[in-house]
mmCIF file of all heavy atoms in Angstrom:
data_model
loop_
_atom_site.group_PDB
_atom_site.id
_atom_site.type_symbol
_atom_site.label_atom_id
_atom_site.label_comp_id
_atom_site.label_asym_id
_atom_site.label_seq_id
_atom_site.Cartn_x
_atom_site.Cartn_y
_atom_site.Cartn_z
ATOM 1 N N GLU A 67 -2.923 8.414 71.197
ATOM 2 C CA GLU A 67 -3.543 9.654 70.789
ATOM 3 C C GLU A 67 -3.819 9.618 69.235
ATOM 4 O O GLU A 67 -2.966 9.162 68.462
ATOM 5 C CB GLU A 67 -2.668 10.791 71.033
ATOM 6 C CG GLU A 67 -2.354 10.979 72.537
ATOM 7 C CD GLU A 67 -3.586 11.369 73.320
ATOM 8 O OE1 GLU A 67 -4.574 11.857 72.761
ATOM 9 O OE2 GLU A 67 -3.580 11.138 74.558
ATOM 10 N N GLN A 98 -25.409 4.635 41.380
ATOM 11 C CA GLN A 98 -26.600 4.659 40.635
ATOM 12 C C GLN A 98 -26.346 5.005 39.181
ATOM 13 O O GLN A 98 -26.866 4.329 38.222
ATOM 14 C CB GLN A 98 -27.652 5.617 41.194
ATOM 15 C CG GLN A 98 -28.215 5.070 42.451
ATOM 16 C CD GLN A 98 -28.995 6.146 43.332
ATOM 17 O OE1 GLN A 98 -28.606 7.356 43.251
ATOM 18 N NE2 GLN A 98 -29.971 5.713 44.066
ATOM 19 N N GLU A 99 -25.459 5.991 38.964
ATOM 20 C CA GLU A 99 -25.035 6.330 37.605
ATOM 21 C C GLU A 99 -24.480 5.172 36.843
ATOM 22 O O GLU A 99 -24.787 4.979 35.622
ATOM 23 C CB GLU A 99 -24.067 7.491 37.653
ATOM 24 C CG GLU A 99 -24.620 8.831 37.887
ATOM 25 C CD GLU A 99 -23.472 9.811 38.268
ATOM 26 O OE1 GLU A 99 -22.375 9.717 37.770
ATOM 27 O OE2 GLU A 99 -23.811 10.745 39.076
ATOM 28 N N GLU A 295 7.285 -5.755 85.599
ATOM 29 C CA GLU A 295 8.564 -5.313 85.020
ATOM 30 C C GLU A 295 8.528 -3.816 84.782
ATOM 31 O O GLU A 295 9.470 -3.086 85.082
ATOM 32 C CB GLU A 295 8.868 -6.036 83.722
ATOM 33 C CG GLU A 295 9.134 -7.586 83.914
ATOM 34 C CD GLU A 295 10.350 -7.860 84.726
ATOM 35 O OE1 GLU A 295 11.430 -7.404 84.368
ATOM 36 O OE2 GLU A 295 10.239 -8.537 85.723
ATOM 37 N N VAL A 384 17.300 3.800 121.235
ATOM 38 C CA VAL A 384 17.730 4.474 119.995
ATOM 39 C C VAL A 384 17.311 5.971 120.026
ATOM 40 O O VAL A 384 16.178 6.273 120.273
ATOM 41 C CB VAL A 384 17.045 3.779 118.754
ATOM 42 C CG1 VAL A 384 17.363 4.624 117.503
ATOM 43 C CG2 VAL A 384 17.552 2.344 118.624
#
Side-chain angles (χ1 to χ4, degrees):
Chain A
E67 299 295 339
Q98 284 166 332
E99 281 165 31
E295 293 297 305
V384 173

